[in-house]
Amino acid sequence: MASAIKTRKTATRLLTAAAVLSGLVLSAVQAHAATAPSPTEAVATVLPVVDMEATVKAAQIDPRRADSTQTPGAHDSVLAVEQALQARGLLDARWVDGYFGTTTVSAYAAFQRSLGYTGLDANGLPGVTSLTTLGQGRYTITHQIGVGAKLKRDGYTVNTRTQNMLTEAERLAGLPFTLDQGSYNPGGDPTSAGTHDGGGVVDINVDGMTSATRTAVAKALRQVGFAAWVRNPTQGDWPWHIHAAAISDTDLATQAQNQTGDYYLGFNGLANHAADDGPRIAIQTWEEYQRTH
C-alpha cells in the first residue's frame, strides 16, 4: 500500500513538472510569434527605397550631359527604377546602371504609354502615379513631388507648386511679379519653342525694372528653385523678360526639362548652348529650399 501511494506521488510530481515545462515552451513560442515579423513585413523591410526628388533630378540632368557622369545621390534610386523597367522588358540590361540617360527616358516614356498616358504625360519624366505603379512589390518611394492643382495668376494658368514658388520669390525680391506668359500653353507663343507647353514655366514682365532689379528678381527666382534667366531682344524675337522654369516640376515639357538640365550644367537654356549669363548661386529645388527655410 505504501509503495502504491509513493508511486502515485511520483507520478503526480512528474505530471506537474511536465505541465510546467509545457507551459514554458508554449510561452516561448507565443513570445517568438509576437515579436517575429510576418512574411509580408520581412519582405517590406528589404525593398529598396527610391528617392523621387533624386530620380526626377537625374531624369532632367543626365540626358543633357556630354558623358555618362551620374547625378550625385541618385544612383541607387535610378538603378531601382531601371531594374523595374528591365523586369517589364522595357530596358536592356546593359542600360541598368544608375544613369538616367536618353535610353532610360525612352523606356520610362514607353512605360507611361503602357498605362494609357499620351503627349506630355508620357514624356519620360517620372510622376508620382507612374513611379508608384512601376515600383509595386519592387521598391518604396520617399520625397514625393506633387505639383498640385491648376489655378489662374494674372490671367494665365500655373500649378500650385509654381504659384507657391513665385510667392516666395516675390517675398525675397521685395516686389510683386506680373506674368507675361504662364504654363500649360501649347503653341501659345512660337518663340517659346515649346517650353511653356507643360507646367512649371512662366515669363515675368520686367517693364520699368532697372538692370539691377532684373538681376535681383532672377536671383530670387533661382533661390527658390527656378532655372531663371533675364532674356533680351538680341537673343531672340522677344522683348525683355525673365524666363523661369521650375526645376523638378513633374509636368515640365521636354524642352523645359532640357533647360533645367542645362541650368545645372552651367548653360543658358537657349539653343546656342552658351554659358549661363545669370546670377550664379547654389542650385536647389523648391523642396530643398523648403527644408532649409
Side-chain angles (χ1 to χ4, degrees):
M1 183 68 176
S3 176
I5 294 173
K6 182 177 180 181
T7 299
R8 285 197 298 273
K9 287 182 178 180
T10 300
T12 300
R13 285 197 297 268
L14 290 174
L15 288 172
T16 301
V20 170
L21 179 59
S22 176
L24 291 174
V25 171
L26 181 60
S27 297
V29 171
Q30 290 171 334
H32 176 73
T35 58
S38 68
T40 301
E41 293 171 333
V43 171
T45 60
V46 299
L47 288 178
V49 176
V50 167
D51 184 324
M52 183 174 178
E53 288 182 26
T55 303
V56 171
K57 188 185 293 183
Q60 296 164 98
I61 303 171
D62 291 357
R64 305 299 291 173
R65 295 185 186 277
D67 55 26
S68 57
T69 300
Q70 297 181 15
T71 297
H75 173 85
D76 291 349
S77 296
V78 172
L79 190 64
V81 170
E82 290 176 325
Q83 289 169 339
L85 290 170
Q86 181 192 14
R88 291 176 178 265
L90 298 171
L91 187 64
D92 190 85
R94 62 183 170 141
W95 303 114
V96 180
D97 55 7
Y99 175 75
F100 211 120
T102 54
T103 303
T104 301
V105 170
S106 296
Y108 199 94
F111 172 66
Q112 290 171 320
R113 290 193 297 273
S114 76
L115 298 179
Y117 295 124
T118 59
L120 290 173
D121 293 327
N123 58 9
L125 187 67
V128 172
T129 301
S130 62
L131 195 61
T132 300
T133 303
L134 179 64
Q136 287 177 352
R138 301 194 65 90
Y139 58 73
T140 59
I141 302 174
T142 188
H143 291 151
Q144 293 189 13
I145 301 172
V147 299
K150 296 176 184 177
L151 50 86
K152 290 291 185 179
R153 179 187 171 108
D154 300 330
Y156 299 103
T157 302
V158 298
N159 61 45
T160 302
R161 181 177 185 266
T162 302
Q163 168 71 348
N164 292 340
M165 293 170 69
L166 289 170
T167 299
E168 178 61 8
E170 287 176 319
R171 187 188 70 80
L172 293 177
L175 73 161
F177 303 157
T178 300
L179 300 188
D180 273 343
Q181 188 178 181
S183 309
Y184 306 102
N185 187 33
D189 185 348
T191 66
S192 297
T195 56
H196 290 260
D197 287 6
V201 182
V202 296
D203 286 345
I204 295 173
N205 185 293
V206 298
D207 291 349
M209 291 186 189
T210 64
S211 175
T213 301
R214 291 194 296 260
T215 300
V217 170
K219 181 178 180 180
L221 289 164
R222 290 185 172 201
Q223 286 176 301
V224 302
F226 284 100
W229 298 273
V230 177
R231 300 300 196 207
N232 68 72
T234 68
Q235 296 172 316
D237 184 20
W238 51 60
W240 282 93
H241 68 280
I242 295 176
H243 178 76
I247 301 167
S248 294
D249 185 304
T250 55
D251 282 354
L252 287 174
T254 299
Q255 298 88 332
Q257 293 176 44
N258 293 342
Q259 286 187 324
T260 59
D262 284 353
Y263 174 58
Y264 271 98
L265 299 175
F267 300 112
N268 66 356
L270 293 173
N272 62 17
H273 220 52
D276 183 11
D277 56 2
R280 299 298 292 169
I281 65 166
I283 300 175
Q284 59 185 347
T285 66
W286 171 236
E287 289 72 28
E288 290 166 340
Y289 174 84
Q290 288 180 292
R291 284 196 288 271
T292 58
H293 291 79

